[in-house]
Amino acid sequence: MANSSNPLSIWFFVGILMLAYGIVLTATGAYEFSHPLGDAVILSRLHATFWWGLCLFAFGLFYTVRFRPGT
């Protein structure tokens, strides 16, 4: 049961969601390193899925730790 003087922050849940998306995208991007797509798009060599996954993971981890309950 949540304490009424210290409610849960919405940013904690945003952090969890970003963290989850970051994990999925990073794993997908890492898989694409060894299994490239058949019809590659023009900028596929930049591996945007992997890098965006890492960015989302980092921001999600920051928000989850920064706004965790009990701080």
Side-chain angles (χ1 to χ4, degrees):
M1 190 153 119
N3 187 355
S4 62
S5 64
N6 191 12
L8 289 173
S9 174
I10 188 69
W11 296 111
F12 174 70
F13 296 107
V14 169
I16 290 175
L17 186 64
M18 287 173 51
L19 189 63
Y21 280 135
I23 290 170
V24 169
L25 286 175
T26 303
T28 304
Y31 178 78
E32 288 177 0
F33 276 120
S34 61
H35 297 86
L37 300 173
D39 295 330
V41 294
I42 292 177
L43 295 177
S44 65
R45 70 185 186 286
L46 297 178
H47 303 288
T49 305
F50 180 76
W51 294 112
W52 275 110
L54 282 180
C55 288
L56 282 175
F57 180 81
F59 283 119
L61 187 64
F62 171 75
Y63 274 87
T64 303
V65 170
R66 171 67 178 87
F67 297 104
R68 70 184 181 271
T71 57

